[in-house]
Amino acid sequence: MKVTAVATQGGYGSSNWVTGYLLMFSDSGRNWKQYQREEGLWAFPGNTNADSTVHYRLQPPFEARFLRFLPVAWNPKGRIGMRIEVYGCAYRSEMVNFDGNSSLLFTFSQKSVSPTKDVISLKFKTRQSNGILLHREGQNGKHVTVELVKGKLILFLNAGDAHLHSPDARVALALGSLLDDQHWHSVRLELLGTRVNFTVDEHTRHFQAEGEPSYLDLEHKISFGGIPEHRKSMAFPHKNFTGCFENLYGNGVDIIDLSEKHEPQALIMGNVSFSCSYPQMVPVTFLSSRSYMALPHTAGEDRVAISFQFRTWNRAGLLVMSRIQRGSEAIVLVLIDGKLRLSLSPPRHPAGDVTAGAGLNDGQWHSVSLSVSRNQLNLKVDTNAASAAHPLHGQIGSGDTYYFGGCPESSPGSGCESPLGGFQGCLRLISIGDTVVNPILVQQGALGSFSDLQIDSCGITDRCLPSYCEHGGECSQSWNSFSCDCARTGYTGATCHSSLYEQSCEALKHKGEPSGLYTDSDGSGPLQSALVYCNMTDSAWTSVQHNGTGVARVESSPGDSPRPVLFKYTASMEQLQAIVDRSEHCQQELAFHCGPSRHSAHHGGTPVSWWVGRTNETHAYWGGSLPEAHKCTCGLEGRCTDSQYHCHCAADRNEWTTDMGVLSHKEHLPVTQVVMTNAGQAHTEAGYTLGPLLCQGDSSFWNSASFNTETSYLHFPTFQGELSADVSFFFKTTASSGVFVENLGITDFIRLELRAPTEVTFSFDVGNGPCEVTVRSPTPFNDNLWHHVSAERKVKEAWLRVDELPPRLQPAPVDGHTRLQLNSQLFVGGTASRQRGFLGCMRSLQLNGMFLDLEERAMMTPGVQPGCAGHCSSYGHLCRNGGSCQERARGVACDCASSAYDGPFCSREISAYFGSGSSMVYNFQEHYNHTFSTNSSSLAALLQEELTLTGEVATLSFRTAVAPSLLLFVSSFREEYLSVILVPNGSLQIRYKLDRHKEPDVFNFDSKNLADGQLHHIKINREEAVVFVEVNQSPRRQATLSSGTEFNAVKSLMLGTILGKPPGADPDTRRAAARGFSGCLSAVRFGRAAPLKLACSRGAASSSRVTVRGHVVGGAQCGAGRAGRSPGWRGAQVSGGDSGAERAPRILGRVLGRVLGRRRIPRGPSLPLRSRSSGTGRRGRALSEGGRRGLCGAWRKGAFPESWVLAIVSGAPAHARSTRFVWVHLDARAVGKDSGVVAVVIFILLCVTAIAIHVHPHRWLYPKNESGVSKPRGSAETALRSEPDVQNAGSERQKEYFF
């Protein structure tokens, strides 16, 4: 019958009732199977008194002829007493038996074949782990096969020879485990054209084939139990099925019934019977490490022989032990590290041990036979045999007792103990000598003894089916538990649930990270982490690259079909959508380069060119235009080449031109392809340049709400987190307690609360009783600062983390309820009872990676307001090196005006390399050198009044190998000064002269040589006459000035060489000033003045405050390389203009592109790079003699990807007098194929380039087209090669990160 429910009561009118029991079933009265209520839960709760009825509906129901109720707990004041009622319905069964050499071939009639769906269903049971269940073929090798392989069912789908190159040509779908347990298992296969549904028991897998492969055009013949001999042409090995089928149907046709009636549709091959009867095997389950079975045997036999089969998940355990009659030795068989080892105990000689097998803890049945004779140990596992001689000589007498799986706790001196512990698993077919052991006699007490066994049942369970390991984590198991290997998944935790990466660049920025490589937009959600670039400026920009890194050329002729240019991103479409949806703003730069023809106009009402967005919709508008306007940027601004058209490329002009703009409607982004047609013209040429997808902001990170009363709350739909539930958010409050989040079920619940000022508690109940996890802090949480809470409840454990405090973890019960079943609304900031509500702010609330919009709900909820203020109190520490925190509506920003550093956190070092004789002068008054009609004394008095200092702070970092050197000199109109120098032995000396009539105060610090090529830091802090100095990490030193307390009429700050004699300076300072400084300076600040930073700013060219002379170059951070090297080692140098060396990589790239057969190679950045105004968008500018142009020392490690190679072009034009460095981008795949050709071409091109530069230095110069409309060119290639590299220009500071 089909059993659907059970009910129990206690003994009538007594104190006897059962409080817990196990339910087992069988269809033969042997080989029982335990019913599992849900994942990991076996026992049924029973009664609490004698009269009440406890009813359980069984989901799923099962079919059985025999039931067994095993009481495991009962009323301690009474005895076992049960009244049982079973509910069910009749069950019809038809069976067919295959003996391993037989099969059944069935032919569908035309009436039973459906044009839209084929359905095969059956049940099977077997004790063999391999065999073909069904096989159906089609034309050209197409076939569908269901095969049992190592106890798992695998569906093989072969699309045939016609689809060999399809990604779905050969597919294998695996389901089930331990299906060779001699119990019935159901199978259902649905073929729906290109879609396939495969179900085994309660688990289903779906498959959708891409393209045309259909599995409905198979032959009408299908074989069961094996493959007929004339069809055995399959590529994989196979074995016929041994076992029984039940209720076999094909498209509703009862195949067993037709076979039994010998209908012509059913062809029986071999010995097929229509009943299911097999010799019964009685398995034994060893439930714990304390389990054992002791079996007696006749002692004194001269040979020991044992055989059995076992299956387990454990890597180690004692299998068999028996003492030899003579002496104290014993035979021991153990499982260790998945291998079997037979030895004598205590060990006489390690060489006498025998080891066989490997990976035996795979859950499969393995056959074992061992024997010990006069001088030999023999061991065979499956087909793997081994033997060894043992040190015992003479007659061996077998013992009188054999212990399987362990030994009694009452016999500690028996020699049966094993450091590996007892065996957990199943044994069957046990033989000792020539005697076959009947475990039923052991169960009845008629043979031997046992403890903690389950006889006539193998209770092994596959804890990895279904697998609770998420995000591709690999599941492994032991008898009692499972574990997940999260390596290379990007996730962590017991089930690989928690992402290793932040969800956005914005979140990464506010952790103080300068840049990032990976993001995971949905956190613990199903999407994997995506490769992006985080460009940290005042805002955090997310940059997603694609494969179209250069100009994509398109040519077409009349009759040609549209030529789409496809772009593939480093993130999937689902990941891109998550990134765009989460961002506040996204944009993408698209440049359209057109030749002598129309491209952006409409031809007969149809757009000639268009682009496709992520939703696969076409768009005919271009950068800067509204979607419905169909205009380009020049059309919006009214500056197109031909005023009749809205794009440069719409005019039919005989010249090359460009339409460039920024697409910013994020619902259409990113661009996935660009399409061009020829509009009926004779020949058209065009090109596209597409920048990376750039997104800014995070709509969820700052999404917040303020809870103003204890009775106010926000409500959301029920939290769906049955097996995995994670909650994360930020909060700040001054209240001592309050509930953050609560969701209730009938008995289950989940809650997060501030229980006390120093305690955050995570509590929940999944049916095993309430569980709490609490994090305690040494400082209060109600300090009105932002605190981050992250809580997770999973099948294996629950944990809670607050800020950077150590997380608290609570393991879950091994066999208990696993599903969290909730049904109420989710309450945020309060509870259903309107008590213990939260007072304060919450933001960035996410559940299982899904963002909850607090602001939207708060706008319609009394007592709750959208938004929170006061972020600087928590994030102000991110602003370093004197930067100040500025509040924003959604976050914070760092104001670096008073810092010598730059960047989003005032942590980016501003540095410069000074060549010999170079200098930089910063003037504290821009008008000090202007001509005034007033007398000089009145001017000096004015300056003295405005710039008299009673104290100042000066900082600088340097590295040099030259001494003496002048590090810093601050002068005044009164001949007062501060000088920081390295004396000839390299030690540091600071001189203050605050009175022109007195000698300077000289302070010597350390005798260490600081001109050692290493990076050193100096900080000077003067407070009137007291000076504090810090050098590197040394303790702060103090000195007192005698020359004065005020620095009067401060005039200028000088770095490097000082031309002429500094007025009022002492001889040592003058010598150092004449020698100047060669090396790297960074982080230079005097008060609020930061000369290097001002020189780097955009307004430096128009400012008279900074004057630079000689060879001063913005470079990498001073700590990034060795001192004393030319700044060219980072690729930047003094330049007097554009030269042939800058164009070399473009020509080299084009030639390499032709040699390697590439359609395009992007122009690599040549060095030195132009300023921002030149259109490159890259950082790094050099200062030439007498110049006042901007300098930016932002060269950093990792500025160029690894696919760019450095070419050194020597012999530059005479006016440059230096070696040039150029970068060329090579396709690694192309280089791999033609590396020899590439090497020859590079060598020839470099030689030719050097000669050409010498002979024609000025003919390499080319005009820059500022308007975007170039003069007529001879070809598209000539016109396109001068365009800026949009892909690289979009990133000011690119580094790779994952989220």
Side-chain angles (χ1 to χ4, degrees), residues 69 107 156 278 357 379 381 461 494 503 510 600 653 728 801 805 850 907 944 963 1012 1052 1089-1090 1123 1132 1158 1216:
F69 291 80
T107 304
F156 294 97
Y278 278 95
L379 176 64
V381 181
T461 300
Q503 292 185 259
H510 286 84
S600 299
R653 301 172 66 91
S728 66
R801 183 165 190 167
L805 295 170
M850 297 296 294
S907 59
Q944 179 183 11
D1012 55 359
S1052 60
R1158 298 188 62 197

PDB file of all heavy atoms in Angstrom, residues 69 107 156 278 357 379 381 461 494 503 510 600 653 728 801 805 850 907 944 963 1012 1052 1089-1090 1123 1132 1158 1216:
ATOM      1  N   PHE A  69       7.933   0.229  13.928  1.00  0.00           N
ATOM      2  CA  PHE A  69       8.021   1.395  14.805  1.00  0.00           C
ATOM      3  C   PHE A  69       9.030   1.074  15.904  1.00  0.00           C
ATOM      4  O   PHE A  69       8.855   0.101  16.657  1.00  0.00           O
ATOM      5  CB  PHE A  69       6.667   1.727  15.423  1.00  0.00           C
ATOM      6  CG  PHE A  69       5.658   2.249  14.424  1.00  0.00           C
ATOM      7  CD1 PHE A  69       4.953   1.377  13.601  1.00  0.00           C
ATOM      8  CD2 PHE A  69       5.416   3.609  14.321  1.00  0.00           C
ATOM      9  CE1 PHE A  69       4.041   1.845  12.685  1.00  0.00           C
ATOM     10  CE2 PHE A  69       4.491   4.092  13.405  1.00  0.00           C
ATOM     11  CZ  PHE A  69       3.799   3.218  12.584  1.00  0.00           C
ATOM     12  N   THR A 107       8.709  -0.657 -29.136  1.00  0.00           N
ATOM     13  CA  THR A 107       8.484   0.228 -30.269  1.00  0.00           C
ATOM     14  C   THR A 107       7.184   0.996 -30.054  1.00  0.00           C
ATOM     15  O   THR A 107       6.117   0.376 -29.894  1.00  0.00           O
ATOM     16  CB  THR A 107       8.405  -0.555 -31.582  1.00  0.00           C
ATOM     17  OG1 THR A 107       9.593  -1.325 -31.752  1.00  0.00           O
ATOM     18  CG2 THR A 107       8.251   0.405 -32.759  1.00  0.00           C
ATOM     19  N   PHE A 156      22.593  10.816 -20.157  1.00  0.00           N
ATOM     20  CA  PHE A 156      23.509  11.218 -21.215  1.00  0.00           C
ATOM     21  C   PHE A 156      22.687  11.702 -22.411  1.00  0.00           C
ATOM     22  O   PHE A 156      21.833  10.971 -22.923  1.00  0.00           O
ATOM     23  CB  PHE A 156      24.405  10.053 -21.655  1.00  0.00           C
ATOM     24  CG  PHE A 156      25.361   9.578 -20.589  1.00  0.00           C
ATOM     25  CD1 PHE A 156      25.052   8.490 -19.798  1.00  0.00           C
ATOM     26  CD2 PHE A 156      26.572  10.234 -20.381  1.00  0.00           C
ATOM     27  CE1 PHE A 156      25.930   8.041 -18.825  1.00  0.00           C
ATOM     28  CE2 PHE A 156      27.449   9.797 -19.410  1.00  0.00           C
ATOM     29  CZ  PHE A 156      27.132   8.704 -18.626  1.00  0.00           C
ATOM     30  N   TYR A 278      14.805 -11.885  -5.027  1.00  0.00           N
ATOM     31  CA  TYR A 278      16.254 -12.063  -4.960  1.00  0.00           C
ATOM     32  C   TYR A 278      16.620 -12.624  -3.596  1.00  0.00           C
ATOM     33  O   TYR A 278      15.913 -12.388  -2.601  1.00  0.00           O
ATOM     34  CB  TYR A 278      16.971 -10.717  -5.157  1.00  0.00           C
ATOM     35  CG  TYR A 278      17.105 -10.324  -6.601  1.00  0.00           C
ATOM     36  CD1 TYR A 278      16.173  -9.479  -7.189  1.00  0.00           C
ATOM     37  CD2 TYR A 278      18.147 -10.804  -7.375  1.00  0.00           C
ATOM     38  CE1 TYR A 278      16.277  -9.114  -8.513  1.00  0.00           C
ATOM     39  CE2 TYR A 278      18.269 -10.450  -8.702  1.00  0.00           C
ATOM     40  CZ  TYR A 278      17.331  -9.590  -9.277  1.00  0.00           C
ATOM     41  OH  TYR A 278      17.442  -9.246 -10.594  1.00  0.00           O
ATOM     42  N   GLY A 357      43.947  -1.012  -1.680  1.00  0.00           N
ATOM     43  CA  GLY A 357      42.813  -0.122  -1.951  1.00  0.00           C
ATOM     44  C   GLY A 357      43.176   1.340  -1.789  1.00  0.00           C
ATOM     45  O   GLY A 357      44.221   1.703  -1.254  1.00  0.00           O
ATOM     46  N   LEU A 379      45.753  -9.823   1.714  1.00  0.00           N
ATOM     47  CA  LEU A 379      44.620  -8.890   1.761  1.00  0.00           C
ATOM     48  C   LEU A 379      44.199  -8.573   0.339  1.00  0.00           C
ATOM     49  O   LEU A 379      45.029  -8.262  -0.517  1.00  0.00           O
ATOM     50  CB  LEU A 379      45.010  -7.602   2.495  1.00  0.00           C
ATOM     51  CG  LEU A 379      43.949  -6.487   2.540  1.00  0.00           C
ATOM     52  CD1 LEU A 379      42.724  -6.950   3.331  1.00  0.00           C
ATOM     53  CD2 LEU A 379      44.535  -5.228   3.175  1.00  0.00           C
ATOM     54  N   VAL A 381      41.177  -6.283  -1.750  1.00  0.00           N
ATOM     55  CA  VAL A 381      40.071  -5.312  -1.725  1.00  0.00           C
ATOM     56  C   VAL A 381      39.592  -5.145  -3.153  1.00  0.00           C
ATOM     57  O   VAL A 381      40.350  -4.677  -4.018  1.00  0.00           O
ATOM     58  CB  VAL A 381      40.519  -3.958  -1.145  1.00  0.00           C
ATOM     59  CG1 VAL A 381      39.351  -2.997  -1.121  1.00  0.00           C
ATOM     60  CG2 VAL A 381      41.083  -4.144   0.248  1.00  0.00           C
ATOM     61  N   THR A 461      23.669   7.527   4.727  1.00  0.00           N
ATOM     62  CA  THR A 461      22.966   8.663   4.125  1.00  0.00           C
ATOM     63  C   THR A 461      23.969   9.532   3.386  1.00  0.00           C
ATOM     64  O   THR A 461      25.067   9.778   3.889  1.00  0.00           O
ATOM     65  CB  THR A 461      22.276   9.509   5.210  1.00  0.00           C
ATOM     66  OG1 THR A 461      21.344   8.683   5.910  1.00  0.00           O
ATOM     67  CG2 THR A 461      21.532  10.677   4.593  1.00  0.00           C
ATOM     68  N   ALA A 494      30.910  28.019   6.345  1.00  0.00           N
ATOM     69  CA  ALA A 494      30.717  26.571   6.400  1.00  0.00           C
ATOM     70  C   ALA A 494      30.065  26.034   5.141  1.00  0.00           C
ATOM     71  O   ALA A 494      30.293  24.885   4.757  1.00  0.00           O
ATOM     72  CB  ALA A 494      29.874  26.205   7.622  1.00  0.00           C
ATOM     73  N   GLN A 503      30.310  44.637  -1.969  1.00  0.00           N
ATOM     74  CA  GLN A 503      29.270  44.640  -2.990  1.00  0.00           C
ATOM     75  C   GLN A 503      29.406  45.784  -3.978  1.00  0.00           C
ATOM     76  O   GLN A 503      28.719  45.788  -5.002  1.00  0.00           O
ATOM     77  CB  GLN A 503      27.893  44.668  -2.327  1.00  0.00           C
ATOM     78  CG  GLN A 503      27.580  43.379  -1.587  1.00  0.00           C
ATOM     79  CD  GLN A 503      26.177  43.352  -1.040  1.00  0.00           C
ATOM     80  OE1 GLN A 503      25.951  43.584   0.141  1.00  0.00           O
ATOM     81  NE2 GLN A 503      25.213  43.076  -1.889  1.00  0.00           N
ATOM     82  N   HIS A 510      34.746  53.141   1.499  1.00  0.00           N
ATOM     83  CA  HIS A 510      34.508  53.526   2.887  1.00  0.00           C
ATOM     84  C   HIS A 510      35.034  52.509   3.878  1.00  0.00           C
ATOM     85  O   HIS A 510      34.790  52.625   5.080  1.00  0.00           O
ATOM     86  CB  HIS A 510      33.025  53.815   3.095  1.00  0.00           C
ATOM     87  CG  HIS A 510      32.609  55.113   2.486  1.00  0.00           C
ATOM     88  ND1 HIS A 510      32.266  55.230   1.156  1.00  0.00           N
ATOM     89  CD2 HIS A 510      32.546  56.368   3.005  1.00  0.00           C
ATOM     90  CE1 HIS A 510      31.974  56.483   0.901  1.00  0.00           C
ATOM     91  NE2 HIS A 510      32.138  57.198   1.983  1.00  0.00           N
ATOM     92  N   SER A 600      25.267  58.239 -39.729  1.00  0.00           N
ATOM     93  CA  SER A 600      24.384  58.464 -38.589  1.00  0.00           C
ATOM     94  C   SER A 600      23.003  58.911 -39.015  1.00  0.00           C
ATOM     95  O   SER A 600      22.141  59.132 -38.182  1.00  0.00           O
ATOM     96  CB  SER A 600      24.998  59.513 -37.653  1.00  0.00           C
ATOM     97  OG  SER A 600      26.227  59.050 -37.168  1.00  0.00           O
ATOM     98  N   ARG A 653      30.029  63.991 -46.660  1.00  0.00           N
ATOM     99  CA  ARG A 653      31.179  64.820 -46.999  1.00  0.00           C
ATOM    100  C   ARG A 653      32.381  63.926 -47.275  1.00  0.00           C
ATOM    101  O   ARG A 653      32.514  62.838 -46.720  1.00  0.00           O
ATOM    102  CB  ARG A 653      31.497  65.795 -45.857  1.00  0.00           C
ATOM    103  CG  ARG A 653      30.336  66.733 -45.531  1.00  0.00           C
ATOM    104  CD  ARG A 653      30.631  67.537 -44.283  1.00  0.00           C
ATOM    105  NE  ARG A 653      31.740  68.461 -44.486  1.00  0.00           N
ATOM    106  CZ  ARG A 653      31.592  69.710 -44.900  1.00  0.00           C
ATOM    107  NH1 ARG A 653      30.390  70.183 -45.185  1.00  0.00           N
ATOM    108  NH2 ARG A 653      32.645  70.512 -45.052  1.00  0.00           N
ATOM    109  N   SER A 728      22.521  41.810   7.164  1.00  0.00           N
ATOM    110  CA  SER A 728      23.608  42.756   7.428  1.00  0.00           C
ATOM    111  C   SER A 728      23.066  44.167   7.337  1.00  0.00           C
ATOM    112  O   SER A 728      22.178  44.456   6.528  1.00  0.00           O
ATOM    113  CB  SER A 728      24.772  42.558   6.449  1.00  0.00           C
ATOM    114  OG  SER A 728      24.369  42.882   5.137  1.00  0.00           O
ATOM    115  N   ARG A 801      28.663  38.778  13.805  1.00  0.00           N
ATOM    116  CA  ARG A 801      29.840  39.632  13.864  1.00  0.00           C
ATOM    117  C   ARG A 801      29.398  41.088  13.922  1.00  0.00           C
ATOM    118  O   ARG A 801      28.488  41.482  13.190  1.00  0.00           O
ATOM    119  CB  ARG A 801      30.737  39.405  12.649  1.00  0.00           C
ATOM    120  CG  ARG A 801      32.018  40.225  12.699  1.00  0.00           C
ATOM    121  CD  ARG A 801      33.029  39.735  11.699  1.00  0.00           C
ATOM    122  NE  ARG A 801      34.323  40.360  11.888  1.00  0.00           N
ATOM    123  CZ  ARG A 801      35.442  39.947  11.322  1.00  0.00           C
ATOM    124  NH1 ARG A 801      35.410  38.897  10.519  1.00  0.00           N
ATOM    125  NH2 ARG A 801      36.589  40.553  11.538  1.00  0.00           N
ATOM    126  N   LEU A 805      35.045  43.146  15.842  1.00  0.00           N
ATOM    127  CA  LEU A 805      35.149  42.279  17.012  1.00  0.00           C
ATOM    128  C   LEU A 805      35.169  40.807  16.576  1.00  0.00           C
ATOM    129  O   LEU A 805      34.631  40.468  15.517  1.00  0.00           O
ATOM    130  CB  LEU A 805      33.968  42.524  17.950  1.00  0.00           C
ATOM    131  CG  LEU A 805      33.909  43.919  18.586  1.00  0.00           C
ATOM    132  CD1 LEU A 805      32.572  44.115  19.291  1.00  0.00           C
ATOM    133  CD2 LEU A 805      35.060  44.104  19.569  1.00  0.00           C
ATOM    134  N   MET A 850      19.855  40.655  -0.876  1.00  0.00           N
ATOM    135  CA  MET A 850      18.810  41.511  -1.439  1.00  0.00           C
ATOM    136  C   MET A 850      18.693  42.779  -0.605  1.00  0.00           C
ATOM    137  O   MET A 850      18.569  42.736   0.605  1.00  0.00           O
ATOM    138  CB  MET A 850      17.469  40.771  -1.472  1.00  0.00           C
ATOM    139  CG  MET A 850      17.480  39.539  -2.356  1.00  0.00           C
ATOM    140  SD  MET A 850      17.746  39.915  -4.093  1.00  0.00           S
ATOM    141  CE  MET A 850      16.250  40.808  -4.454  1.00  0.00           C
ATOM    142  N   SER A 907      45.637  60.450   0.929  1.00  0.00           N
ATOM    143  CA  SER A 907      46.709  59.496   1.210  1.00  0.00           C
ATOM    144  C   SER A 907      47.604  59.255   0.001  1.00  0.00           C
ATOM    145  O   SER A 907      48.552  58.480   0.099  1.00  0.00           O
ATOM    146  CB  SER A 907      46.097  58.155   1.655  1.00  0.00           C
ATOM    147  OG  SER A 907      45.242  57.640   0.659  1.00  0.00           O
ATOM    148  N   GLN A 944      55.089  91.801   6.656  1.00  0.00           N
ATOM    149  CA  GLN A 944      55.425  91.351   8.000  1.00  0.00           C
ATOM    150  C   GLN A 944      54.158  91.182   8.828  1.00  0.00           C
ATOM    151  O   GLN A 944      54.001  90.234   9.580  1.00  0.00           O
ATOM    152  CB  GLN A 944      56.372  92.341   8.674  1.00  0.00           C
ATOM    153  CG  GLN A 944      56.738  91.913  10.104  1.00  0.00           C
ATOM    154  CD  GLN A 944      57.628  92.942  10.780  1.00  0.00           C
ATOM    155  OE1 GLN A 944      57.797  94.045  10.272  1.00  0.00           O
ATOM    156  NE2 GLN A 944      58.183  92.583  11.914  1.00  0.00           N
ATOM    157  N   ALA A 963      75.039  63.830  -0.992  1.00  0.00           N
ATOM    158  CA  ALA A 963      75.234  64.743   0.140  1.00  0.00           C
ATOM    159  C   ALA A 963      76.510  65.553  -0.128  1.00  0.00           C
ATOM    160  O   ALA A 963      77.485  65.022  -0.697  1.00  0.00           O
ATOM    161  CB  ALA A 963      75.348  63.978   1.460  1.00  0.00           C
ATOM    162  N   ASP A1012      71.257  57.500   1.813  1.00  0.00           N
ATOM    163  CA  ASP A1012      71.535  56.076   1.588  1.00  0.00           C
ATOM    164  C   ASP A1012      70.604  55.456   0.551  1.00  0.00           C
ATOM    165  O   ASP A1012      70.547  54.239   0.410  1.00  0.00           O
ATOM    166  CB  ASP A1012      71.404  55.302   2.908  1.00  0.00           C
ATOM    167  CG  ASP A1012      70.043  55.503   3.564  1.00  0.00           C
ATOM    168  OD1 ASP A1012      69.217  56.258   2.996  1.00  0.00           O
ATOM    169  OD2 ASP A1012      69.807  54.916   4.634  1.00  0.00           O
ATOM    170  N   SER A1052      59.155  82.910   0.710  1.00  0.00           N
ATOM    171  CA  SER A1052      59.052  81.813  -0.236  1.00  0.00           C
ATOM    172  C   SER A1052      59.633  80.536   0.345  1.00  0.00           C
ATOM    173  O   SER A1052      60.416  80.567   1.294  1.00  0.00           O
ATOM    174  CB  SER A1052      59.767  82.147  -1.549  1.00  0.00           C
ATOM    175  OG  SER A1052      61.133  82.397  -1.319  1.00  0.00           O
ATOM    176  N   ALA A1089      50.843  75.434   3.101  1.00  0.00           N
ATOM    177  CA  ALA A1089      51.432  75.470   1.762  1.00  0.00           C
ATOM    178  C   ALA A1089      51.954  74.089   1.394  1.00  0.00           C
ATOM    179  O   ALA A1089      52.708  73.467   2.149  1.00  0.00           O
ATOM    180  CB  ALA A1089      52.564  76.484   1.713  1.00  0.00           C
ATOM    181  N   ALA A1090      51.554  73.614   0.203  1.00  0.00           N
ATOM    182  CA  ALA A1090      51.997  72.315  -0.323  1.00  0.00           C
ATOM    183  C   ALA A1090      52.468  72.547  -1.753  1.00  0.00           C
ATOM    184  O   ALA A1090      51.680  72.431  -2.703  1.00  0.00           O
ATOM    185  CB  ALA A1090      50.876  71.298  -0.268  1.00  0.00           C
ATOM    186  N   ALA A1123      66.653  55.247  -5.459  1.00  0.00           N
ATOM    187  CA  ALA A1123      67.023  56.636  -5.627  1.00  0.00           C
ATOM    188  C   ALA A1123      68.184  56.760  -6.581  1.00  0.00           C
ATOM    189  O   ALA A1123      68.918  55.838  -6.847  1.00  0.00           O
ATOM    190  CB  ALA A1123      67.407  57.236  -4.270  1.00  0.00           C
ATOM    191  N   ALA A1132      58.636  58.853 -17.467  1.00  0.00           N
ATOM    192  CA  ALA A1132      58.342  60.265 -17.637  1.00  0.00           C
ATOM    193  C   ALA A1132      59.644  61.031 -17.716  1.00  0.00           C
ATOM    194  O   ALA A1132      60.621  60.709 -17.068  1.00  0.00           O
ATOM    195  CB  ALA A1132      57.508  60.777 -16.463  1.00  0.00           C
ATOM    196  N   ARG A1158      45.514  40.547 -37.042  1.00  0.00           N
ATOM    197  CA  ARG A1158      44.488  41.125 -36.185  1.00  0.00           C
ATOM    198  C   ARG A1158      43.738  42.203 -36.932  1.00  0.00           C
ATOM    199  O   ARG A1158      44.306  42.922 -37.741  1.00  0.00           O
ATOM    200  CB  ARG A1158      45.114  41.731 -34.923  1.00  0.00           C
ATOM    201  CG  ARG A1158      45.836  40.733 -34.062  1.00  0.00           C
ATOM    202  CD  ARG A1158      46.244  41.393 -32.776  1.00  0.00           C
ATOM    203  NE  ARG A1158      45.069  41.837 -32.050  1.00  0.00           N
ATOM    204  CZ  ARG A1158      45.109  42.721 -31.075  1.00  0.00           C
ATOM    205  NH1 ARG A1158      46.233  43.276 -30.740  1.00  0.00           N
ATOM    206  NH2 ARG A1158      44.014  43.074 -30.444  1.00  0.00           N
ATOM    207  N   ALA A1216      65.678  66.389 -28.142  1.00  0.00           N
ATOM    208  CA  ALA A1216      65.239  65.650 -26.963  1.00  0.00           C
ATOM    209  C   ALA A1216      66.419  65.124 -26.169  1.00  0.00           C
ATOM    210  O   ALA A1216      66.421  65.166 -24.955  1.00  0.00           O
ATOM    211  CB  ALA A1216      64.337  64.491 -27.382  1.00  0.00           C
TER     212      ALA A1216
END
